[in-house]
Amino acid sequence: MVNKVCTLPALLQKVAQWKADGQKLVFTNGVFDLIHTGHITYLAQAAELGDKLIIGLNSDASVKRLKGESRPVNHQDSRALLLSAFFFIDAIVIFGEDTPANLINAIMPDILVKGGDYTIENIVGAKEVMANGGEVKTINFVEGYSSTSIINKIRTQTS
Ligand SMILES: Nc1ncnc2c1ncn2[C@@H]1O[C@H](COP(=O)(O)OP(=O)(O)OP(=O)(O)O)[C@@H](O)[C@H]1O
Ligand SMILES: O=P(O)(O)O[C@@H]1O[C@H]([C@H](O)CO)[C@@H](O)[C@H](O)[C@@H]1O
């Protein structure tokens, strides 16, 4: 299987080549702890918006700061491997900050995407991408699906 999980320098080399080839780059980011229907539905739609789909994946340390010490359930390498198995994802890069602001500025995608649980106003990097002539989109939220709800359902059913 092609190794889609890149260091930032390696990803930026791919990005430069893709841009030189006129490819439309779509970027999204997240924790993707327990992959579910909502993730796949939105990621597949995000991929349709351009030629290459790049995922910024929160490191384990970043997730712990964002979602608490008990998270993530799946460590970063496992989360990255699962995402790389989807044909419509072209590259994954792990970032350790609280937000992907620096990553987005380095990649500067044509399209920045998040799920419908976000509004354009609260998407990190939206202003910068739009100032660069890019687009920012949200994709319909699939109700009833979240990693947290899966964890809670397991806890309830096994307690
Ligand atoms: N049900 C859903 N439908 C569409 N997009 C979703 C859904 N759940 C999450 N997303 C999107 O997936 C990306 C990753 O989100 P995240 O990993 O936080 O998912 P989550 O299920 O909400 O996790 P958690 O419950 O741990 O917060 C984000 O861009 C988010 O907008
Ligand atoms: O999986 P999540 O919680 O949707 O991902 C977070 O998204 C934040 C978002 O980009 C804010 O607009 C980001 O700041 C955070 O680091 C997580 O990736």
Side-chain angles (χ1 to χ4, degrees):
M1 180 166 71
V2 171
N3 182 10
K4 300 177 186 177
V5 184
C6 309
T7 61
L8 182 56
L11 175 66
L12 292 180
Q13 284 189 331
K14 285 178 185 257
V15 163
Q17 186 59 58
W18 287 337
K19 287 184 175 179
D21 295 344
Q23 304 281 294
K24 181 179 278 192
L25 306 188
V26 182
F27 177 91
T28 192
N29 57 276
V31 172
F32 300 103
D33 195 2
L34 300 180
I35 299 287
H36 54 68
T37 297
H39 288 143
I40 300 308
T41 305
Y42 122 88
L43 288 171
Q45 291 179 55
E48 290 295 312
L49 296 171
D51 300 302
K52 299 292 181 185
L53 177 59
I54 302 165
I55 310 287
L57 184 67
N58 291 78
S59 69
D60 291 343
S62 171
V63 175
K64 287 188 183 306
R65 293 194 302 271
L66 284 172
K67 303 199 175 194
E69 275 302 315
S70 67
R71 303 293 298 281
V73 170
N74 288 316
H75 59 71
Q76 62 195 40
D77 293 341
S78 173
R79 290 182 282 124
L81 179 66
L82 264 70
L83 289 170
S84 62
F86 295 110
F87 72 90
F88 47 75
I89 292 176
D90 296 283
I92 298 126
V93 61
I94 293 171
F95 69 95
E97 299 100 321
D98 288 352
T99 81
N102 293 330
L103 180 60
I104 291 168
N105 280 307
I107 296 168
M108 200 41 75
D110 299 292
I111 304 176
L112 172 61
V113 178
K114 290 291 283 182
D117 46 333
Y118 288 91
T119 60
I120 301 294
E121 294 70 37
N122 66 9
I123 295 176
V124 169
K127 283 195 301 292
E128 293 80 0
V129 167
M130 288 190 283
N132 187 58
E135 297 175 77
V136 182
K137 296 179 182 290
T138 59
I139 290 181
N140 292 343
F141 193 78
V142 182
E143 292 302 334
Y145 291 94
S146 73
S147 298
T148 300
S149 65
I150 295 170
I151 293 167
N152 292 338
K153 191 181 289 185
I154 292 169
R155 283 196 178 125
T156 306
Q157 292 177 0
T158 54
S159 60

